[in-house]
Amino acid sequence: RDNPYAARAVAVLAAHQVGTGITARIGTPDGQALWDRWARRCDHDGAHDLGGLMALAARTRAESGEVLLRLRVAPQAEARRRG
């Protein structure tokens, strides 16, 4: 992190691994709308979309050698409140 060459290498590696992110094409308009909505709001904290989370995971793996992801399923009431 403190070395600008290493920081640049991590950024380039993550960019090449993730690219533009996952672009799913669902067969129905309703399914596509659900996917698009989830991909925009999949971060529990609301800081990133799906592409941002993928880039964060790629950078973490490049820096630390591993990454741990947790899929958190929100209760119905919380899911409704968050939209």
Side-chain angles (χ1 to χ4, degrees), residues 3 10 12-14 17 19 21 23 28-29 33 38 42 44 48 54 56-57 59 65 76 81 83:
N3 183 322
V10 167
V12 168
L13 184 62
Q17 287 177 354
T23 54
T28 64
W38 179 82
C42 61
H44 177 71
H48 303 287
M54 291 171 55
L56 179 61
R59 282 192 308 271
Q76 284 285 2
R81 180 177 49 81

mmCIF file with all atom_site columns, all heavy atoms in Angstrom, residues 3 10 12-14 17 19 21 23 28-29 33 38 42 44 48 54 56-57 59 65 76 81 83:
data_model
loop_
_atom_site.group_PDB
_atom_site.id
_atom_site.type_symbol
_atom_site.label_atom_id
_atom_site.label_alt_id
_atom_site.label_comp_id
_atom_site.label_asym_id
_atom_site.label_entity_id
_atom_site.label_seq_id
_atom_site.pdbx_PDB_ins_code
_atom_site.Cartn_x
_atom_site.Cartn_y
_atom_site.Cartn_z
_atom_site.occupancy
_atom_site.B_iso_or_equiv
_atom_site.pdbx_formal_charge
_atom_site.auth_seq_id
_atom_site.auth_comp_id
_atom_site.auth_asym_id
_atom_site.auth_atom_id
_atom_site.pdbx_PDB_model_num
ATOM 1   N N   . ASN A 1 3  ? 3.873   1.590   -1.173  1.00 0.00 ? 3  ASN A N   1
ATOM 2   C CA  . ASN A 1 3  ? 4.721   1.692   -2.340  1.00 0.00 ? 3  ASN A CA  1
ATOM 3   C C   . ASN A 1 3  ? 3.845   2.028   -3.554  1.00 0.00 ? 3  ASN A C   1
ATOM 4   O O   . ASN A 1 3  ? 2.928   1.270   -3.891  1.00 0.00 ? 3  ASN A O   1
ATOM 5   C CB  . ASN A 1 3  ? 5.437   0.355   -2.559  1.00 0.00 ? 3  ASN A CB  1
ATOM 6   C CG  . ASN A 1 3  ? 6.400   0.392   -3.711  1.00 0.00 ? 3  ASN A CG  1
ATOM 7   O OD1 . ASN A 1 3  ? 6.135   1.014   -4.741  1.00 0.00 ? 3  ASN A OD1 1
ATOM 8   N ND2 . ASN A 1 3  ? 7.519   -0.294  -3.549  1.00 0.00 ? 3  ASN A ND2 1
ATOM 9   N N   . VAL A 1 10 ? -1.623  -3.425  -7.939  1.00 0.00 ? 10 VAL A N   1
ATOM 10  C CA  . VAL A 1 10 ? -2.868  -3.949  -7.375  1.00 0.00 ? 10 VAL A CA  1
ATOM 11  C C   . VAL A 1 10 ? -4.066  -3.369  -8.123  1.00 0.00 ? 10 VAL A C   1
ATOM 12  O O   . VAL A 1 10 ? -5.003  -4.084  -8.470  1.00 0.00 ? 10 VAL A O   1
ATOM 13  C CB  . VAL A 1 10 ? -2.952  -3.644  -5.863  1.00 0.00 ? 10 VAL A CB  1
ATOM 14  C CG1 . VAL A 1 10 ? -4.349  -3.881  -5.336  1.00 0.00 ? 10 VAL A CG1 1
ATOM 15  C CG2 . VAL A 1 10 ? -1.938  -4.481  -5.101  1.00 0.00 ? 10 VAL A CG2 1
ATOM 16  N N   . VAL A 1 12 ? -4.207  -2.162  -11.217 1.00 0.00 ? 12 VAL A N   1
ATOM 17  C CA  . VAL A 1 12 ? -4.267  -2.685  -12.588 1.00 0.00 ? 12 VAL A CA  1
ATOM 18  C C   . VAL A 1 12 ? -4.736  -4.132  -12.584 1.00 0.00 ? 12 VAL A C   1
ATOM 19  O O   . VAL A 1 12 ? -5.576  -4.528  -13.406 1.00 0.00 ? 12 VAL A O   1
ATOM 20  C CB  . VAL A 1 12 ? -2.893  -2.543  -13.282 1.00 0.00 ? 12 VAL A CB  1
ATOM 21  C CG1 . VAL A 1 12 ? -2.845  -3.321  -14.578 1.00 0.00 ? 12 VAL A CG1 1
ATOM 22  C CG2 . VAL A 1 12 ? -2.595  -1.072  -13.532 1.00 0.00 ? 12 VAL A CG2 1
ATOM 23  N N   . LEU A 1 13 ? -4.225  -4.937  -11.653 1.00 0.00 ? 13 LEU A N   1
ATOM 24  C CA  . LEU A 1 13 ? -4.634  -6.332  -11.557 1.00 0.00 ? 13 LEU A CA  1
ATOM 25  C C   . LEU A 1 13 ? -6.134  -6.438  -11.294 1.00 0.00 ? 13 LEU A C   1
ATOM 26  O O   . LEU A 1 13 ? -6.833  -7.212  -11.952 1.00 0.00 ? 13 LEU A O   1
ATOM 27  C CB  . LEU A 1 13 ? -3.844  -7.028  -10.449 1.00 0.00 ? 13 LEU A CB  1
ATOM 28  C CG  . LEU A 1 13 ? -4.070  -8.517  -10.279 1.00 0.00 ? 13 LEU A CG  1
ATOM 29  C CD1 . LEU A 1 13 ? -3.647  -9.271  -11.527 1.00 0.00 ? 13 LEU A CD1 1
ATOM 30  C CD2 . LEU A 1 13 ? -3.306  -9.017  -9.078  1.00 0.00 ? 13 LEU A CD2 1
ATOM 31  N N   . ALA A 1 14 ? -6.639  -5.660  -10.359 1.00 0.00 ? 14 ALA A N   1
ATOM 32  C CA  . ALA A 1 14 ? -8.066  -5.691  -10.049 1.00 0.00 ? 14 ALA A CA  1
ATOM 33  C C   . ALA A 1 14 ? -8.890  -5.236  -11.248 1.00 0.00 ? 14 ALA A C   1
ATOM 34  O O   . ALA A 1 14 ? -9.926  -5.837  -11.564 1.00 0.00 ? 14 ALA A O   1
ATOM 35  C CB  . ALA A 1 14 ? -8.365  -4.819  -8.836  1.00 0.00 ? 14 ALA A CB  1
ATOM 36  N N   . GLN A 1 17 ? -9.007  -8.032  -13.791 1.00 0.00 ? 17 GLN A N   1
ATOM 37  C CA  . GLN A 1 17 ? -9.796  -9.185  -13.356 1.00 0.00 ? 17 GLN A CA  1
ATOM 38  C C   . GLN A 1 17 ? -11.290 -8.903  -13.424 1.00 0.00 ? 17 GLN A C   1
ATOM 39  O O   . GLN A 1 17 ? -12.071 -9.743  -13.841 1.00 0.00 ? 17 GLN A O   1
ATOM 40  C CB  . GLN A 1 17 ? -9.430  -9.575  -11.926 1.00 0.00 ? 17 GLN A CB  1
ATOM 41  C CG  . GLN A 1 17 ? -8.095  -10.238 -11.817 1.00 0.00 ? 17 GLN A CG  1
ATOM 42  C CD  . GLN A 1 17 ? -7.735  -10.549 -10.379 1.00 0.00 ? 17 GLN A CD  1
ATOM 43  O OE1 . GLN A 1 17 ? -8.441  -10.175 -9.441  1.00 0.00 ? 17 GLN A OE1 1
ATOM 44  N NE2 . GLN A 1 17 ? -6.621  -11.231 -10.201 1.00 0.00 ? 17 GLN A NE2 1
ATOM 45  N N   . GLY A 1 19 ? -12.885 -5.953  -14.873 1.00 0.00 ? 19 GLY A N   1
ATOM 46  C CA  . GLY A 1 19 ? -13.350 -5.293  -16.092 1.00 0.00 ? 19 GLY A CA  1
ATOM 47  C C   . GLY A 1 19 ? -14.559 -4.435  -15.804 1.00 0.00 ? 19 GLY A C   1
ATOM 48  O O   . GLY A 1 19 ? -14.569 -3.646  -14.866 1.00 0.00 ? 19 GLY A O   1
ATOM 49  N N   . GLY A 1 21 ? -17.413 -5.736  -14.920 1.00 0.00 ? 21 GLY A N   1
ATOM 50  C CA  . GLY A 1 21 ? -18.252 -6.482  -13.988 1.00 0.00 ? 21 GLY A CA  1
ATOM 51  C C   . GLY A 1 21 ? -19.173 -7.451  -14.698 1.00 0.00 ? 21 GLY A C   1
ATOM 52  O O   . GLY A 1 21 ? -19.134 -7.609  -15.914 1.00 0.00 ? 21 GLY A O   1
ATOM 53  N N   . THR A 1 23 ? -22.405 -8.664  -16.333 1.00 0.00 ? 23 THR A N   1
ATOM 54  C CA  . THR A 1 23 ? -23.575 -8.110  -17.009 1.00 0.00 ? 23 THR A CA  1
ATOM 55  C C   . THR A 1 23 ? -24.473 -9.275  -17.388 1.00 0.00 ? 23 THR A C   1
ATOM 56  O O   . THR A 1 23 ? -24.249 -9.933  -18.397 1.00 0.00 ? 23 THR A O   1
ATOM 57  C CB  . THR A 1 23 ? -23.188 -7.300  -18.257 1.00 0.00 ? 23 THR A CB  1
ATOM 58  O OG1 . THR A 1 23 ? -22.379 -8.111  -19.099 1.00 0.00 ? 23 THR A OG1 1
ATOM 59  C CG2 . THR A 1 23 ? -22.418 -6.045  -17.893 1.00 0.00 ? 23 THR A CG2 1
ATOM 60  N N   . THR A 1 28 ? -36.457 -12.582 -19.234 1.00 0.00 ? 28 THR A N   1
ATOM 61  C CA  . THR A 1 28 ? -37.713 -11.835 -19.135 1.00 0.00 ? 28 THR A CA  1
ATOM 62  C C   . THR A 1 28 ? -37.440 -10.424 -18.646 1.00 0.00 ? 28 THR A C   1
ATOM 63  O O   . THR A 1 28 ? -36.496 -10.197 -17.886 1.00 0.00 ? 28 THR A O   1
ATOM 64  C CB  . THR A 1 28 ? -38.689 -12.521 -18.153 1.00 0.00 ? 28 THR A CB  1
ATOM 65  O OG1 . THR A 1 28 ? -38.105 -12.494 -16.845 1.00 0.00 ? 28 THR A OG1 1
ATOM 66  C CG2 . THR A 1 28 ? -38.960 -13.959 -18.550 1.00 0.00 ? 28 THR A CG2 1
ATOM 67  N N   . PRO A 1 29 ? -38.267 -9.467  -19.048 1.00 0.00 ? 29 PRO A N   1
ATOM 68  C CA  . PRO A 1 29 ? -38.065 -8.089  -18.569 1.00 0.00 ? 29 PRO A CA  1
ATOM 69  C C   . PRO A 1 29 ? -38.164 -7.969  -17.054 1.00 0.00 ? 29 PRO A C   1
ATOM 70  O O   . PRO A 1 29 ? -37.403 -7.214  -16.435 1.00 0.00 ? 29 PRO A O   1
ATOM 71  C CB  . PRO A 1 29 ? -39.189 -7.304  -19.258 1.00 0.00 ? 29 PRO A CB  1
ATOM 72  C CG  . PRO A 1 29 ? -39.542 -8.106  -20.458 1.00 0.00 ? 29 PRO A CG  1
ATOM 73  C CD  . PRO A 1 29 ? -39.318 -9.545  -20.063 1.00 0.00 ? 29 PRO A CD  1
ATOM 74  N N   . ALA A 1 33 ? -35.173 -6.730  -14.624 1.00 0.00 ? 33 ALA A N   1
ATOM 75  C CA  . ALA A 1 33 ? -35.364 -5.605  -13.701 1.00 0.00 ? 33 ALA A CA  1
ATOM 76  C C   . ALA A 1 33 ? -34.970 -5.997  -12.278 1.00 0.00 ? 33 ALA A C   1
ATOM 77  O O   . ALA A 1 33 ? -34.340 -5.202  -11.559 1.00 0.00 ? 33 ALA A O   1
ATOM 78  C CB  . ALA A 1 33 ? -36.813 -5.128  -13.746 1.00 0.00 ? 33 ALA A CB  1
ATOM 79  N N   . TRP A 1 38 ? -31.112 -5.576  -7.881  1.00 0.00 ? 38 TRP A N   1
ATOM 80  C CA  . TRP A 1 38 ? -30.257 -6.218  -6.876  1.00 0.00 ? 38 TRP A CA  1
ATOM 81  C C   . TRP A 1 38 ? -28.801 -5.826  -7.070  1.00 0.00 ? 38 TRP A C   1
ATOM 82  O O   . TRP A 1 38 ? -28.089 -5.565  -6.092  1.00 0.00 ? 38 TRP A O   1
ATOM 83  C CB  . TRP A 1 38 ? -30.399 -7.740  -6.945  1.00 0.00 ? 38 TRP A CB  1
ATOM 84  C CG  . TRP A 1 38 ? -29.515 -8.418  -5.951  1.00 0.00 ? 38 TRP A CG  1
ATOM 85  C CD1 . TRP A 1 38 ? -29.780 -8.613  -4.630  1.00 0.00 ? 38 TRP A CD1 1
ATOM 86  C CD2 . TRP A 1 38 ? -28.202 -8.938  -6.187  1.00 0.00 ? 38 TRP A CD2 1
ATOM 87  N NE1 . TRP A 1 38 ? -28.708 -9.229  -4.029  1.00 0.00 ? 38 TRP A NE1 1
ATOM 88  C CE2 . TRP A 1 38 ? -27.727 -9.437  -4.958  1.00 0.00 ? 38 TRP A CE2 1
ATOM 89  C CE3 . TRP A 1 38 ? -27.391 -9.026  -7.308  1.00 0.00 ? 38 TRP A CE3 1
ATOM 90  C CZ2 . TRP A 1 38 ? -26.481 -10.024 -4.829  1.00 0.00 ? 38 TRP A CZ2 1
ATOM 91  C CZ3 . TRP A 1 38 ? -26.143 -9.611  -7.164  1.00 0.00 ? 38 TRP A CZ3 1
ATOM 92  C CH2 . TRP A 1 38 ? -25.702 -10.104 -5.943  1.00 0.00 ? 38 TRP A CH2 1
ATOM 93  N N   . CYS A 1 42 ? -26.844 -4.454  -3.816  1.00 0.00 ? 42 CYS A N   1
ATOM 94  C CA  . CYS A 1 42 ? -26.424 -5.696  -3.166  1.00 0.00 ? 42 CYS A CA  1
ATOM 95  C C   . CYS A 1 42 ? -25.510 -5.480  -1.961  1.00 0.00 ? 42 CYS A C   1
ATOM 96  O O   . CYS A 1 42 ? -25.352 -6.383  -1.149  1.00 0.00 ? 42 CYS A O   1
ATOM 97  C CB  . CYS A 1 42 ? -25.759 -6.624  -4.173  1.00 0.00 ? 42 CYS A CB  1
ATOM 98  S SG  . CYS A 1 42 ? -24.282 -5.933  -4.926  1.00 0.00 ? 42 CYS A SG  1
ATOM 99  N N   . HIS A 1 44 ? -24.785 -4.358  1.616   1.00 0.00 ? 44 HIS A N   1
ATOM 100 C CA  . HIS A 1 44 ? -25.601 -4.091  2.802   1.00 0.00 ? 44 HIS A CA  1
ATOM 101 C C   . HIS A 1 44 ? -25.409 -2.661  3.298   1.00 0.00 ? 44 HIS A C   1
ATOM 102 O O   . HIS A 1 44 ? -26.360 -2.022  3.740   1.00 0.00 ? 44 HIS A O   1
ATOM 103 C CB  . HIS A 1 44 ? -25.270 -5.089  3.912   1.00 0.00 ? 44 HIS A CB  1
ATOM 104 C CG  . HIS A 1 44 ? -26.008 -4.829  5.180   1.00 0.00 ? 44 HIS A CG  1
ATOM 105 N ND1 . HIS A 1 44 ? -27.351 -5.051  5.300   1.00 0.00 ? 44 HIS A ND1 1
ATOM 106 C CD2 . HIS A 1 44 ? -25.591 -4.332  6.371   1.00 0.00 ? 44 HIS A CD2 1
ATOM 107 C CE1 . HIS A 1 44 ? -27.739 -4.709  6.522   1.00 0.00 ? 44 HIS A CE1 1
ATOM 108 N NE2 . HIS A 1 44 ? -26.693 -4.284  7.185   1.00 0.00 ? 44 HIS A NE2 1
ATOM 109 N N   . HIS A 1 48 ? -21.358 0.353   -2.270  1.00 0.00 ? 48 HIS A N   1
ATOM 110 C CA  . HIS A 1 48 ? -20.942 -0.133  -3.586  1.00 0.00 ? 48 HIS A CA  1
ATOM 111 C C   . HIS A 1 48 ? -22.094 -0.811  -4.301  1.00 0.00 ? 48 HIS A C   1
ATOM 112 O O   . HIS A 1 48 ? -23.023 -1.309  -3.668  1.00 0.00 ? 48 HIS A O   1
ATOM 113 C CB  . HIS A 1 48 ? -19.807 -1.157  -3.456  1.00 0.00 ? 48 HIS A CB  1
ATOM 114 C CG  . HIS A 1 48 ? -18.604 -0.650  -2.749  1.00 0.00 ? 48 HIS A CG  1
ATOM 115 N ND1 . HIS A 1 48 ? -17.734 0.236   -3.317  1.00 0.00 ? 48 HIS A ND1 1
ATOM 116 C CD2 . HIS A 1 48 ? -18.128 -0.899  -1.507  1.00 0.00 ? 48 HIS A CD2 1
ATOM 117 C CE1 . HIS A 1 48 ? -16.768 0.507   -2.460  1.00 0.00 ? 48 HIS A CE1 1
ATOM 118 N NE2 . HIS A 1 48 ? -16.986 -0.166  -1.351  1.00 0.00 ? 48 HIS A NE2 1
ATOM 119 N N   . MET A 1 54 ? -17.101 -6.381  -6.481  1.00 0.00 ? 54 MET A N   1
ATOM 120 C CA  . MET A 1 54 ? -16.174 -7.268  -7.184  1.00 0.00 ? 54 MET A CA  1
ATOM 121 C C   . MET A 1 54 ? -14.772 -6.655  -7.234  1.00 0.00 ? 54 MET A C   1
ATOM 122 O O   . MET A 1 54 ? -13.773 -7.352  -7.037  1.00 0.00 ? 54 MET A O   1
ATOM 123 C CB  . MET A 1 54 ? -16.689 -7.543  -8.591  1.00 0.00 ? 54 MET A CB  1
ATOM 124 C CG  . MET A 1 54 ? -17.932 -8.392  -8.613  1.00 0.00 ? 54 MET A CG  1
ATOM 125 S SD  . MET A 1 54 ? -18.693 -8.529  -10.232 1.00 0.00 ? 54 MET A SD  1
ATOM 126 C CE  . MET A 1 54 ? -17.351 -9.136  -11.208 1.00 0.00 ? 54 MET A CE  1
ATOM 127 N N   . LEU A 1 56 ? -13.541 -4.460  -5.106  1.00 0.00 ? 56 LEU A N   1
ATOM 128 C CA  . LEU A 1 56 ? -13.021 -4.490  -3.739  1.00 0.00 ? 56 LEU A CA  1
ATOM 129 C C   . LEU A 1 56 ? -12.473 -5.874  -3.399  1.00 0.00 ? 56 LEU A C   1
ATOM 130 O O   . LEU A 1 56 ? -11.394 -6.002  -2.816  1.00 0.00 ? 56 LEU A O   1
ATOM 131 C CB  . LEU A 1 56 ? -14.121 -4.095  -2.758  1.00 0.00 ? 56 LEU A CB  1
ATOM 132 C CG  . LEU A 1 56 ? -13.772 -4.098  -1.284  1.00 0.00 ? 56 LEU A CG  1
ATOM 133 C CD1 . LEU A 1 56 ? -12.644 -3.116  -0.990  1.00 0.00 ? 56 LEU A CD1 1
ATOM 134 C CD2 . LEU A 1 56 ? -15.004 -3.763  -0.460  1.00 0.00 ? 56 LEU A CD2 1
ATOM 135 N N   . ALA A 1 57 ? -13.197 -6.927  -3.795  1.00 0.00 ? 57 ALA A N   1
ATOM 136 C CA  . ALA A 1 57 ? -12.732 -8.287  -3.541  1.00 0.00 ? 57 ALA A CA  1
ATOM 137 C C   . ALA A 1 57 ? -11.444 -8.573  -4.311  1.00 0.00 ? 57 ALA A C   1
ATOM 138 O O   . ALA A 1 57 ? -10.517 -9.195  -3.779  1.00 0.00 ? 57 ALA A O   1
ATOM 139 C CB  . ALA A 1 57 ? -13.818 -9.291  -3.928  1.00 0.00 ? 57 ALA A CB  1
ATOM 140 N N   . ARG A 1 59 ? -9.157  -6.382  -5.318  1.00 0.00 ? 59 ARG A N   1
ATOM 141 C CA  . ARG A 1 59 ? -8.047  -5.632  -4.687  1.00 0.00 ? 59 ARG A CA  1
ATOM 142 C C   . ARG A 1 59 ? -7.615  -6.296  -3.388  1.00 0.00 ? 59 ARG A C   1
ATOM 143 O O   . ARG A 1 59 ? -6.418  -6.414  -3.105  1.00 0.00 ? 59 ARG A O   1
ATOM 144 C CB  . ARG A 1 59 ? -8.470  -4.187  -4.428  1.00 0.00 ? 59 ARG A CB  1
ATOM 145 C CG  . ARG A 1 59 ? -8.451  -3.320  -5.639  1.00 0.00 ? 59 ARG A CG  1
ATOM 146 C CD  . ARG A 1 59 ? -8.584  -1.845  -5.295  1.00 0.00 ? 59 ARG A CD  1
ATOM 147 N NE  . ARG A 1 59 ? -9.716  -1.552  -4.432  1.00 0.00 ? 59 ARG A NE  1
ATOM 148 C CZ  . ARG A 1 59 ? -10.937 -1.269  -4.865  1.00 0.00 ? 59 ARG A CZ  1
ATOM 149 N NH1 . ARG A 1 59 ? -11.198 -1.261  -6.153  1.00 0.00 ? 59 ARG A NH1 1
ATOM 150 N NH2 . ARG A 1 59 ? -11.898 -0.998  -4.007  1.00 0.00 ? 59 ARG A NH2 1
ATOM 151 N N   . GLY A 1 65 ? -3.985  -11.822 -0.408  1.00 0.00 ? 65 GLY A N   1
ATOM 152 C CA  . GLY A 1 65 ? -3.874  -13.217 -0.813  1.00 0.00 ? 65 GLY A CA  1
ATOM 153 C C   . GLY A 1 65 ? -5.157  -14.003 -0.638  1.00 0.00 ? 65 GLY A C   1
ATOM 154 O O   . GLY A 1 65 ? -5.259  -15.148 -1.069  1.00 0.00 ? 65 GLY A O   1
ATOM 155 N N   . GLN A 1 76 ? -37.635 -9.869  5.576   1.00 0.00 ? 76 GLN A N   1
ATOM 156 C CA  . GLN A 1 76 ? -38.612 -9.224  4.702   1.00 0.00 ? 76 GLN A CA  1
ATOM 157 C C   . GLN A 1 76 ? -38.835 -7.762  5.064   1.00 0.00 ? 76 GLN A C   1
ATOM 158 O O   . GLN A 1 76 ? -38.877 -6.900  4.200   1.00 0.00 ? 76 GLN A O   1
ATOM 159 C CB  . GLN A 1 76 ? -39.956 -9.968  4.761   1.00 0.00 ? 76 GLN A CB  1
ATOM 160 C CG  . GLN A 1 76 ? -39.974 -11.252 3.999   1.00 0.00 ? 76 GLN A CG  1
ATOM 161 C CD  . GLN A 1 76 ? -40.044 -11.001 2.490   1.00 0.00 ? 76 GLN A CD  1
ATOM 162 O OE1 . GLN A 1 76 ? -40.043 -9.886  2.012   1.00 0.00 ? 76 GLN A OE1 1
ATOM 163 N NE2 . GLN A 1 76 ? -40.097 -12.084 1.751   1.00 0.00 ? 76 GLN A NE2 1
ATOM 164 N N   . ARG A 1 81 ? -38.051 -2.038  3.625   1.00 0.00 ? 81 ARG A N   1
ATOM 165 C CA  . ARG A 1 81 ? -37.635 -0.698  4.055   1.00 0.00 ? 81 ARG A CA  1
ATOM 166 C C   . ARG A 1 81 ? -36.501 -0.169  3.177   1.00 0.00 ? 81 ARG A C   1
ATOM 167 O O   . ARG A 1 81 ? -36.493 1.009   2.811   1.00 0.00 ? 81 ARG A O   1
ATOM 168 C CB  . ARG A 1 81 ? -37.179 -0.748  5.517   1.00 0.00 ? 81 ARG A CB  1
ATOM 169 C CG  . ARG A 1 81 ? -36.732 0.588   6.075   1.00 0.00 ? 81 ARG A CG  1
ATOM 170 C CD  . ARG A 1 81 ? -36.359 0.497   7.537   1.00 0.00 ? 81 ARG A CD  1
ATOM 171 N NE  . ARG A 1 81 ? -35.460 -0.574  7.874   1.00 0.00 ? 81 ARG A NE  1
ATOM 172 C CZ  . ARG A 1 81 ? -34.136 -0.538  7.714   1.00 0.00 ? 81 ARG A CZ  1
ATOM 173 N NH1 . ARG A 1 81 ? -33.563 0.503   7.176   1.00 0.00 ? 81 ARG A NH1 1
ATOM 174 N NH2 . ARG A 1 81 ? -33.391 -1.560  8.064   1.00 0.00 ? 81 ARG A NH2 1
ATOM 175 N N   . GLY A 1 83 ? -35.918 -0.958  0.135   1.00 0.00 ? 83 GLY A N   1
ATOM 176 C CA  . GLY A 1 83 ? -36.375 -0.768  -1.261  1.00 0.00 ? 83 GLY A CA  1
ATOM 177 C C   . GLY A 1 83 ? -35.967 -1.873  -2.115  1.00 0.00 ? 83 GLY A C   1
ATOM 178 O O   . GLY A 1 83 ? -35.712 -1.956  -3.209  1.00 0.00 ? 83 GLY A O   1
#
